[in-house]
Amino acid sequence: MPYKKYTLEENNNLQLFYPTSSKQFILSKIPNRTWVALQQQAKKLGIRRIADERKDKKTTNLKRLLDGTMESFYWLGFLLADGNFRGKRSVRCELSTKDYQHLEKLAKYLNTTVKYPNKRNSILFEIYDIDVVPKIIELLGLKHNKIKTYSCPKIETLLKLNQSELFALFIGFIDGDGYIKRNNQSCTYLIISNHVSWKPFYDLMIQQFKKYSLYDLPKYTITKKGYIRWTCGQRNFLVELKCVVKQMKLPILKRKWSEIPTNKIENFVDKVVKEAEEIVEKNGGILPSVRSLKNNGKRYIYRAISNHPEAFKHIKRRTSNTK
């Protein structure tokens, strides 16, 4: 029997009756369709039976995304990039099988399991929770009934987060939509690209990264096809970035961040500590002001101490011993 396209009336009836009505009642309202066919169409439309949603709420722990930890903000950023919020009912995430370990890590965090659909090279999970999903959408500043790809989150909503929460969210976003690669000359690049409607989000992200950086960061570009692209090849900034990520203990996607060798981070912190020690010693055990360091070409030392806990603790200990 040839496939018969669903009419608007059939789809509307499915939306209206499938979640709560009995099987017999639904079949009476949508005649000439089998129950299996209706189940498949409901799946395409993202409609679920309320009984299934209640089962999800009992077994999963989507509330963890709202607990305010750095890990929760990391995963929120990741879902902001790679997740799919279906109305206000569910959150779905689908990745290539090469990143199955990362998705399994997120699934474990939310107490759910991943599925391998018939689609090649794909792995996914979907959680239904009509109480928690709207709260996540509100926290991220997403616009209801707008396609996320072409609709930037509300910046005024994101600005309610503190600096550390924003940082963790942006790192998760990078793991979702960005990539880090090394070219033949062993130069490392961070590249992120989205639709141009995300320009305010990129403005905020680069502005926040500058607070952690000792170096000038490049500007993004806008392509003729209407996409915004940020390419950063500032090696020292990437080293700093990974240093902070490491200190915050974020569950990063190792495949990407392994492109930035850890030994460079350790060497960087060692260098900061050594130079800062010398400055403190010459200044009678007191760390000079920002202006003084800036005038002497050492402003980056002060900022490094402020942003890197290892260096700060070391200098604080050194300062107290000198007095």
Side-chain angles (χ1 to χ4, degrees):
M1 189 180 207
Y3 171 76
K4 184 181 177 183
K5 188 177 179 180
Y6 279 78
T7 64
L8 180 60
E9 183 183 2
E10 285 178 319
N11 283 334
N12 287 340
N13 283 335
L14 201 59
Q15 291 270 9
L16 186 62
F17 301 119
Y18 188 78
T20 57
S21 301
S22 67
K23 176 180 174 181
Q24 292 75 16
F25 183 79
I26 296 169
L27 288 170
S28 70
K29 287 293 182 180
I30 312 175
N32 305 319
R33 299 284 185 182
T34 67
W35 181 243
V36 173
L38 290 176
Q39 286 178 312
Q40 292 174 344
Q41 181 66 4
K43 187 176 181 180
K44 287 180 182 178
L45 297 175
I47 311 169
R48 288 243 309 198
R49 305 277 286 169
I50 290 297
D52 294 335
E53 295 190 14
R54 285 175 180 159
K55 183 180 177 183
D56 261 5
K57 283 186 68 175
K58 287 180 181 179
T59 58
T60 60
N61 192 9
L62 199 60
K63 273 187 176 179
R64 289 198 75 182
L65 293 174
L66 300 173
D67 65 11
T69 63
M70 292 304 104
E71 184 173 4
S72 70
F73 280 103
Y74 167 85
W75 288 123
L76 284 170
F78 186 77
L79 290 171
L80 186 60
D82 271 346
N84 183 7
F85 296 89
R86 298 189 168 194
K88 292 189 174 182
R89 302 172 71 89
S90 76
V91 58
R92 172 189 173 105
C93 189
E94 184 170 356
L95 298 181
S96 165
T97 49
K98 69 180 178 182
D99 290 326
Y100 77 94
Q101 289 180 326
H102 200 61
L103 195 63
E104 284 182 341
K105 193 188 299 182
L106 173 56
K108 184 178 179 181
Y109 180 74
L110 300 176
N111 198 30
T112 189
T113 55
V114 297
K115 300 174 184 176
Y116 289 82
N118 294 330
K119 187 178 174 182
R120 282 183 60 193
N121 301 324
S122 177
I123 181 174
L124 65 87
F125 73 76
E126 184 167 12
I127 298 176
Y128 288 78
D129 194 320
I130 57 175
D131 295 324
V132 177
V133 172
K135 293 177 182 178
I136 294 173
I137 290 173
E138 183 181 359
L139 177 65
L140 292 175
L142 293 174
K143 298 162 188 173
H144 183 50
N145 289 332
K146 295 274 188 180
I147 300 175
K148 182 164 64 70
T149 304
Y150 308 108
S151 180
C152 173
K154 297 174 185 174
I155 299 304
E156 59 270 23
T157 304
L158 294 180
L159 285 173
K160 294 176 183 178
L161 305 179
N162 64 40
Q163 184 173 327
S164 297
E165 291 167 348
L166 273 174
F167 182 87
L169 185 134
F170 289 139
I171 295 300
F173 187 80
I174 287 173
D175 273 356
D177 270 352
Y179 61 98
I180 302 170
K181 68 174 185 177
R182 222 182 303 178
N183 64 14
N184 295 333
Q185 286 76 39
S186 296
C187 295
T188 306
Y189 292 90
L190 165 63
I191 302 172
I192 323 172
S193 182
N194 289 89
H195 187 262
V196 71
S197 60
W198 282 69
K199 179 179 176 293
F201 183 85
Y202 275 63
D203 287 332
L204 179 61
M205 179 171 62
I206 296 171
Q207 176 189 340
Q208 290 299 314
F209 282 158
K210 284 181 178 178
K211 294 180 180 180
Y212 283 89
S213 176
L214 317 179
Y215 308 93
D216 292 331
L217 299 181
K219 296 181 179 180
Y220 51 71
T221 57
I222 297 176
T223 69
K224 293 180 180 178
K225 292 184 178 180
Y227 284 87
I228 187 168
R229 179 185 174 99
W230 188 50
T231 303
C232 181
Q234 173 53 266
R235 187 189 67 179
N236 291 326
F237 163 69
L238 297 178
V239 169
E240 289 178 320
L241 200 61
K242 188 173 178 181
C243 187
V244 180
V245 166
K246 183 181 177 183
Q247 291 159 9
M248 294 177 79
K249 298 181 180 178
L250 299 177
I252 53 176
L253 187 53
K254 292 181 181 178
R255 173 177 63 82
K256 295 182 179 181
W257 293 88
S258 61
E259 295 294 327
I260 307 172
T262 307
N263 64 325
K264 288 185 179 179
I265 294 174
E266 293 167 349
N267 292 340
F268 173 77
V269 173
D270 288 343
K271 178 185 175 184
V272 168
V273 169
K274 185 177 179 181
E275 289 200 42
E277 275 185 337
E278 293 173 358
I279 292 171
V280 169
E281 192 169 356
K282 289 177 181 177
N283 203 46
I286 301 171
L287 186 65
S289 65
V290 179
R291 180 177 293 180
S292 174
L293 288 168
K294 184 178 180 181
N295 291 341
N296 290 288
K298 298 290 185 181
R299 181 168 178 260
Y300 75 96
I301 294 293
Y302 187 92
R303 294 182 67 186
I305 293 168
S306 302
N307 292 328
H308 298 290
E310 287 99 332
F312 179 75
K313 288 176 184 176
H314 198 115
I315 296 307
K316 192 174 181 181
R317 193 182 309 118
R318 173 74 182 186
T319 305
S320 60
N321 291 339
T322 311
K323 287 181 179 180

